[in-house]
Amino acid sequence: MTEIVLILAGVMVGIPAGIIVLVALQGWLRDRGRRRHVTRELARRDVLLVSTTRLLEPDPARRPRVVAATVVRCLDDARHALAIFRTRLGGEIPSLTRMTLLARDEATLRLQRRARAQGLDAVLNIRYETSHVLPTTVEVFAYGTAVALRREGE
Amino acid sequence: MGSDRLVVVTTESVPGHRIVEVLGLVRGNTIRARHLGRDIMAGLKSMVGGEIKSYTELLTRAREEALERMLEEAEQMGATAVVNLRFTTASVMQGAAELFAYGTAVRTEPGQ
């Protein structure tokens, strides 16, 4: 009788725990791939991104455009639980640091893409806004003014 | 994002244009509650982690709405451009967020 109870308890705890771990592993692998992709794309630097207004001289003949991008990201259940535990210890929470950074990079990448899609090659006055949607979920919003730069010799 | 009728920039000046009249502050806002259907999907998604596309889309659309309201006000003032555009977000209560867009409506003419 006790064995049956133990086996049942084991199954009831083991299966959900197994699912959570497997799903988290899949999420971790996917995030790693995403991070590589975003880092590689951002390194292309074919669109100049600055947080200044007057440093660069835009082409007056081309119409400037506001470009904006939003990214909402969350941690998987396993890392969420670890992050909550980590707040009891104090100090940096690396999983959250990485997640927020990835969300920012992804938003930045979308700004770059949207500027390029309009045929513009720089984004001026970039601003970031971060808001807290749910526990261990962040929203990153980035926006700026996409312009065409004046080419040398023109 | 933005408008075809008005020039909208986050900078203080418009390239190739001169500001001839400053019309004043224009703003637009919207408060959005979380959507139940999306919430269930987001709840499932939070098991795996990663980007929650439905929220990304919801917030993008809400900001466009706030921007649109700001542009309407600028148009009514007879503006040709909105400079120094800014966005802010505030969570007003559990499960609802306010998206706010503001800028300065101006009249511009071509020339430096």
Side-chain angles (χ1 to χ4, degrees):
Chain A
M1 191 60 199
T2 43
E3 282 98 341
I4 294 170
V5 171
L6 274 177
I7 289 167
L8 267 179
V11 165
M12 278 164 74
V13 174
I15 289 179
I19 289 174
I20 286 175
V21 168
L22 277 180
V23 154
L25 194 66
Q26 188 261 335
W28 180 74
L29 283 172
R30 185 210 45 216
D31 280 4
R32 206 177 57 163
R34 192 79 208 138
R35 194 169 295 122
R36 280 191 188 151
H37 169 77
V38 169
T39 313
R40 195 172 49 232
E41 283 288 301
L42 278 176
R44 283 169 58 185
R45 293 188 194 281
D46 50 349
V47 173
L48 194 54
L49 305 165
V50 294
S51 61
T52 57
T53 321
R54 294 195 181 89
L55 209 58
L56 301 168
E57 205 177 332
D59 181 355
R62 298 286 303 276
R63 186 195 179 103
R65 292 265 173 196
V66 168
V67 284
T70 304
V71 176
V72 182
R73 266 196 166 269
C74 66
L75 283 183
D76 56 75
D77 280 350
R79 279 184 292 171
H80 172 90
L82 285 175
I84 300 276
F85 177 68
R86 196 67 190 240
T87 60
R88 309 225 178 275
L89 297 175
E92 192 184 354
I93 308 171
S95 59
L96 279 175
T97 306
R98 276 199 302 272
M99 177 189 73
T100 315
L101 198 63
L102 180 58
R104 285 233 174 75
D105 282 353
E106 211 149 353
T108 313
L109 185 63
R110 285 179 199 178
L111 282 188
Q112 197 174 335
R113 266 198 209 135
R114 275 165 205 174
R116 204 188 299 136
Q118 309 249 22
L120 302 166
D121 58 2
V123 184
L124 312 180
N125 211 6
I126 295 179
R127 307 273 147 158
Y128 288 99
E129 244 200 41
T130 312
S131 56
H132 176 85
V133 187
L134 299 162
T136 70
T137 302
V138 291
E139 188 226 354
V140 171
F141 177 58
Y143 61 105
T145 303
V147 295
L149 290 182
R150 217 201 280 256
R151 295 271 156 242
E152 273 173 49
E154 266 176 41
Chain B
M1 199 176 256
S3 148
D4 287 321
R5 310 167 306 230
L6 291 171
V7 176
V8 187
V9 292
T10 65
T11 51
E12 268 168 59
S13 57
V14 184
H17 287 75
R18 176 160 58 92
I19 293 169
V20 289
E21 192 184 349
V22 178
L23 299 164
L25 191 72
V26 284
R27 65 262 182 287
N29 79 334
T30 178
I31 294 183
R32 289 294 164 97
R34 277 158 33 193
H35 190 280
L36 187 68
R38 287 172 197 274
D39 248 30
I40 293 166
M41 285 312 291
L44 288 176
K45 180 76 200 188
S46 76
M47 262 184 84
V48 210
E51 184 176 355
I52 312 177
K53 291 246 164 63
S54 60
Y55 276 178
T56 300
E57 195 189 309
L58 181 84
L59 287 159
T60 305
R61 217 162 317 135
R63 276 208 189 84
E64 271 163 15
E65 173 89 52
L67 188 67
E68 190 51 45
R69 288 180 188 171
M70 187 203 78
L71 290 172
E72 271 167 30
E73 196 184 334
E75 273 187 341
Q76 276 168 14
M77 289 167 99
T80 58
V82 175
V83 294
N84 229 333
L85 173 72
R86 294 284 178 272
F87 288 97
T88 67
T89 313
S91 79
V92 277
M93 51 183 255
Q94 190 67 40
E98 189 213 18
L99 295 316
F100 184 57
Y102 61 103
T104 302
V106 294
R107 255 183 353 96
T108 55
E109 272 175 9
Q112 289 300 317

